[in-house]
Amino acid sequence: MEYFIGLMSGTSMDGIDAAVCAFDDSLPEPRFQGVQAHAAGHYPAPLRERLLTLQRTVPQLSLRELAELDRDVARAFADAAGAALAAAGLPPGAIRAVGSHGQTVFHDPAGTCGSIQLGNPSLVAQRLGITTVADFRRADVAAGGQGAPLVPAFHHALFARADRPRVALNLGGIANITLLPGADASDVSGFDTGPANGLMDEWAERQLGRAYDEDGRFAASGRLHPELLEALLGDPYFAAPPPKSTGRGDFHLDWLRHRYPGLDGLAPADVQRTLCELTARTVADAIRRHGPRTQEVLACGGGTRNPLLMERLRALLAPMALGTTAGAGLDPQHVEAAAFAWLAMRTMRGLPGNLPAVTGAERPVILGGIYRA
């Protein structure tokens, strides 16, 4: 048995997930055996705000400030990994490698061929005393891909069934889907559908002074605004064909005001309710358009904790069944961290980690760089 730690903080930046994962010794590809321990880390409030600012605006920062952010994110990631390691009761020497996604602060594969994640992997490796795999996205971008989404390969390994067409749905800061029509990896496809928690969180923080809309109560107190919804659905991204990926640099409050200049004249709760509907509609439309044979949708990510969002998805997707990945054996809050443990395992074994049909890359490539402790 081999152990890897996966580290992930998504575009919502609501926490750092660390998962200690076990893999068997199957050849040529070890099989995922489950999460042995999990820990949730958090950015200090000033650091989180600085990182969010990088996503929301065109940043003006010095090289010193960039280096400081790179260092501070790495420290936070290493602390989360250390907590997971302690929870597992394992020494550092028992871990083959850490897969550290880092914190995405820039993603523009089409315009600049770039995707930047902060979190100095050499510092993570040295603080933990464990070899660290990081910088997963740029190899795919260099091969002509979007560099995202990368988790569909893991979704296929865990959730694909020959007799039951499925979709794996991640409701993070951005929503993305993996279409799993059968057991054959060549049939897998996936892409980012648009905003999820990130845009709702930003509006809730502006209106309530809290980082997110707990249990979707703010949205549930409002009414759907049809004109606002139609204006937002008119963004060209939603109709664009895959492969495609996006981020909070595309969907933020300035985007919201650009699409609907009369925003400030609406009741804040009505806006939140409409943003929730936007996520549900764009996800459901994407699944119906690209996976019409789907029988079951397995959701994961922070959005599964929003009862209103899940209720709307269930209504819009019917008669497809909507559940969470817990029904398939993996806690919905652990999926993305476990995916980067799985990707680190593949890198250390010299196996490709991307799916060209998903990212648009010219070929399968080994992802990430290896940083020795």
Side-chain angles (χ1 to χ4, degrees), residues 257-281:
R257 289 193 166 87
H258 173 74
R259 298 297 308 178
Y260 196 84
L263 187 70
D264 292 333
L266 304 182
D270 291 355
V271 175
Q272 188 75 359
R273 170 67 182 84
T274 305
L275 294 180
C276 182
E277 190 72 13
L278 175 69
T279 294
R281 277 279 300 274

Side-chain angles (χ1 to χ4, degrees), residues 321-368:
L322 173 67
T324 73
T325 55
L330 187 56
D331 187 304
Q333 308 310 320
H334 298 173
V335 174
E336 293 244 313
F340 282 90
W342 184 83
L343 287 169
M345 176 275 294
R346 294 185 68 82
T347 300
M348 296 299 290
R349 292 286 184 121
L351 298 169
N354 64 331
L355 288 176
V358 172
T359 66
E362 297 168 359
R363 61 190 179 281
V365 291
I366 299 169
L367 301 178

Side-chain angles (χ1 to χ4, degrees), residues 18-288:
V20 179
C21 300
F23 297 85
D24 68 15
D25 297 322
S26 300
L27 294 175
E29 300 186 15
R31 290 176 297 194
F32 178 77
Q33 297 298 299
V35 173
Q36 307 299 298
H38 175 268
H42 297 279
Y43 291 128
L47 174 58
R48 180 174 184 268
E49 187 55 39
R50 290 171 70 194
L51 292 169
L52 285 171
T53 299
L54 287 184
Q55 288 190 336
R56 294 170 179 169
T57 62
V58 177
Q60 300 291 328
L61 74 167
S62 68
L63 292 177
R64 175 178 292 278
E65 289 171 317
L66 183 62
E68 289 173 348
L69 287 172
D70 199 33
R71 175 201 64 196
D72 293 345
V73 170
R75 287 173 174 173
F77 269 58
D79 288 347
L85 195 61
L90 294 172
I95 306 299
R96 174 78 185 278
V98 171
S100 179
H101 174 269
Q103 182 62 64
T104 298
V105 293
F106 179 78
H107 184 75
D108 183 26
T112 65
C113 295
S115 185
I116 298 174
Q117 288 73 43
L118 297 182
N120 183 342
S122 291
L123 182 55
V124 173
Q126 294 303 316
R127 285 175 72 94
L128 294 171
I130 304 171
T131 294
T132 297
V133 183
D135 197 20
F136 288 94
R137 299 194 184 276
R138 286 202 282 189
D140 183 84
V141 173
Q146 292 276 315
L150 294 181
V151 178
F154 178 66
H155 288 161
H156 172 262
L158 261 68
F159 304 134
R161 297 291 181 271
D163 60 346
R164 189 165 177 80
R166 284 174 160 175
V167 165
L169 164 64
N170 176 49
L171 295 168
I174 295 295
N176 56 69
I177 60 172
T178 303
L179 301 159
L180 302 166
D184 192 336
S186 65
D187 294 331
V188 177
S189 58
F191 54 92
D192 293 343
T193 61
N197 303 325
L199 191 55
M200 290 188 283
D201 289 350
E202 193 172 351
W203 182 255
E205 186 172 9
R206 179 68 57 88
Q207 302 300 323
L208 305 176
R210 298 195 295 268
Y212 63 98
D213 178 13
E214 187 173 0
D215 294 328
R217 289 194 290 264
F218 182 37
S221 71
R223 300 174 63 181
L224 178 66
H225 193 283
E227 291 181 4
L228 173 60
L229 179 62
E230 289 307 310
L232 301 182
L233 288 171
D235 189 283
Y237 181 83
F238 302 124
K244 60 181 179 178
S245 61
T246 188
R248 287 181 72 169
D250 295 322
F251 295 104
H252 45 69
L253 293 190
D254 287 343
W255 170 82
L256 196 58
R257 289 193 166 87
H258 173 74
R259 298 297 308 178
Y260 196 84
L263 187 70
D264 292 333
L266 304 182
D270 291 355
V271 175
Q272 188 75 359
R273 170 67 182 84
T274 305
L275 294 180
C276 182
E277 190 72 13
L278 175 69
T279 294
R281 277 279 300 274
T282 50
V283 166
D285 288 350
I287 292 173
R288 291 197 176 281

